[in-house]
Amino acid sequence: MSEDKDHIAIRLLRKFCPSQLAEAVEGDLQERYERDTRRYGSRVAGRQLWWNALRFFRPGILLRHHWTGRIIYTSMIQNHFKIAFRSFARQKAFTVLNVAGLTIGLAASLLITQYVRYEKSFDSFHSRAKDIYRMQYNGYSNGKLNFESTVAVPAAARAIKDNFAEVEEFVRFLPRTGVMSYDRPDGERIAFQERKMQYVDSTVFKVFDFKLLQGDTATALNGLNKIVISSSAAKRYFRDEDPIGKTLLFNGKDAFMITGVFQDVPENSHIQFQFLFSYATLNKATEGWSEKAWGWYDFYTYILLRPGTDVRQLQAKWDEALLKIRKEDWEKDNERQEFILRPLTDIHLYSNLLYEAQPTEQRDGDSVYALSLIAVFILVIAWVNYINLSTARSFNRANEVGVRKVMGAFRSQLVTQFLTESFLLNILAGALALGLVRLLWAPFSDLTGWKIPLDFMFTWGFWKLSLLLLTGGTLLAGFYPALVMSSFQPIAVLKGRIIRSTTGNILRLSLVVFQFVASIFLIIGSIIVFQQIDFMKQRDLGFTLDKTLVLKGPGMTDSLHQKRLEGFRTEVLRIPGVKSLTASSIIPGDEIFWTTGVKRLNSSSRYGTAESHMGMDYDFIPSYNLKVIAGRAYDRNFPGDGKRVMLNRAMAELLEFKSPEEAIGE
């Protein structure tokens, strides 16, 4: 064979042979070619050279630089897993303890963070939630702040819409309660006492994303005596019938035609309703006062701003415009009004004003975020517990590390081995934690007072958090023990001399101290909360609620109301064990919605001080065991009591009486 052909064989081999093998292979082939030439001649030696070159074209050689590294790496990973499972099997108590600690920590953290997420999710399901603001109404009298209210006057919404292009739309809600009824074609009357009803502007479906299942969002609430109802209310009144076009009777006299059915309002909405009346109906009943009144503050008012609006600039311009509109009336009455725009998504956690739409469901934002901190503490305690147990156990595995290093293992390989063990433990703990979360989801929701939907477990946010905790747990809890165990010197280990570094001891002691401090912090916090709740339960409220039952009336009265009430009282008092019965417009502890302006007779103010008041019968004071500190309680023996009033101590002070006794007879 010619040298040119030989040269081609060698060049071909160089092209495909891995670079780290090419020189050695080429040298062997050249030596064999020269030997064959001497023995058999150049022609036979040339053919043998081609044959020997082609024999090196094997996958194990040709693909070594592409695949062999991966094959070796895969084998090592498999070996890591095998060793990890063997280690778990040998140290069952250690494994169970670590997995149990991580599982409980992860489950508790996930449950708490889901609660926090739910609290923060209020009103955020509206597509334009960031552009929606509620009007906060602040009233000033004689230069002093009189009240801060969530309900505003109806004229304010129209004024801001007409004066500023930044305002895209507005909607007002006026709550109502009463009896709703439906007369079925078969003669049956279906009636329920309803407390989630609102008069509302027809723009409600433009501002909010409440979903209308039947009807037209643009026209459903246009015109007189129109009503849209929730899907659950439709089932309650109409069962399987189509409610559209049918008539409901409100308080036995006002007929409303159903023009739409909306999907039930989610629980994480601070606005709750099942019936929406057309605002035009209210305008007609009030002869327009529900549009132009500046003193009637019962309306929850929401403003939709155009995207990109600077709220601070709009607020400043609105304050200036309001001063021009209302200056004359303010000066005449020595009063002033403020209408402040507050973000919709801040209402649930950061608003605690008069007349909140759902006052019993308002939360404190700082407390909710404090729970996030508690969740972090719980998880960190679990991780620190894992670190301490792993490092304490690391010296039991010193011989294993020494032998591995003597056999040629690199430190990076040992770190990978121990991180693999941490990963497997965290995977197992994570799977058990998810199962525990699913098992405890319903009772935990009941404990929080919400019906947190199970769908929260299937959102990307939940799984992203779970993956983050899993990754963080593997790295944070596994990295330090892996460094400690991989740092052992093989000679010292095999001779039985393991030197524990001062730095490592300090770090482990610091982790133990942190663990105890965090645990003590959580325990003390729990004790304080328990004592505070117990204090509230035991505190003297100023009235007696023991063995008291509350019956809420339907909210509708007529000329026979008083007579029916007295008949009801007579029958109830005949029941053995019933000591007394009293009727009032509201019960102690509930927020009072009746307000008016009160002043002393010689006051210069036109309206005086805004106050909340309630109606009660003669038996109210003794039934609740209220203490009368001056004067007397209402008495049936004094017919003139129907034109008299009782004040509490705070109101007497607000009206500047020097003592409660001074107020008597004024």
Side-chain angles (χ1 to χ4, degrees), residues 299-481:
F299 297 79
Y300 296 94
T301 305
Y302 300 86
I303 308 297
L304 177 64
L305 303 182
R306 300 190 186 282
T309 299
D310 188 322
V311 180
R312 292 184 179 180
Q313 291 184 7
L314 176 61
Q315 183 71 58
K317 292 189 293 184
W318 166 233
D319 291 341
E320 292 178 6
L322 188 63
L323 178 61
K324 294 179 182 178
I325 297 171
R326 299 288 295 151
K327 183 177 181 180
E328 184 178 344
D329 290 327
W330 289 351
E331 291 177 347
K332 181 171 59 178
D333 300 327
N334 196 20
E335 293 183 344
R336 184 167 65 86
Q337 296 169 303
E338 279 183 342
F339 298 98
I340 304 172
L341 301 179
R342 297 298 188 197
L344 175 71
T345 51
D346 285 355
I347 291 174
H348 177 67
L349 294 180
Y350 296 103
S351 181
N352 189 20
L353 307 174
L354 288 174
Y355 316 126
E356 289 288 354
Q358 302 288 328
T360 59
E361 297 180 358
Q362 294 297 116
R363 296 294 189 268
D364 178 68
D366 293 337
S367 299
V368 170
Y369 279 96
L371 285 174
S372 301
L373 186 61
I374 290 174
V376 172
F377 267 120
I378 292 173
L379 193 57
V380 170
I381 288 173
W383 285 341
V384 168
N385 185 65
Y386 175 82
I387 292 173
N388 288 335
L389 288 174
S390 297
T391 51
R393 177 174 167 266
S394 63
F395 299 100
N396 296 330
R397 302 185 66 179
N399 289 334
E400 175 190 340
V401 173
V403 171
R404 283 176 174 274
K405 284 194 171 182
V406 168
M407 297 299 293
F410 296 107
R411 187 177 185 184
S412 60
Q413 294 171 329
L414 292 171
V415 169
T416 303
Q417 168 66 52
F418 296 127
L419 282 178
T420 301
E421 293 183 13
S422 173
F423 173 73
L424 290 174
L425 275 175
N426 276 273
I427 279 284
L428 179 58
L432 292 174
L434 290 176
L436 192 59
V437 167
R438 175 62 186 90
L439 187 65
L440 297 177
W441 193 272
F444 179 77
S445 295
D446 293 338
L447 180 66
T448 64
W450 297 118
K451 295 179 181 178
I452 304 177
L454 189 59
D455 293 347
F456 260 53
M457 275 196 70
F458 303 102
T459 60
W460 168 236
F462 177 84
W463 290 104
K464 183 167 64 175
L465 176 64
S466 301
L467 290 173
L468 179 64
L469 295 181
L470 176 63
T471 306
T474 301
L475 295 177
L476 295 177
F479 199 68
Y480 176 68

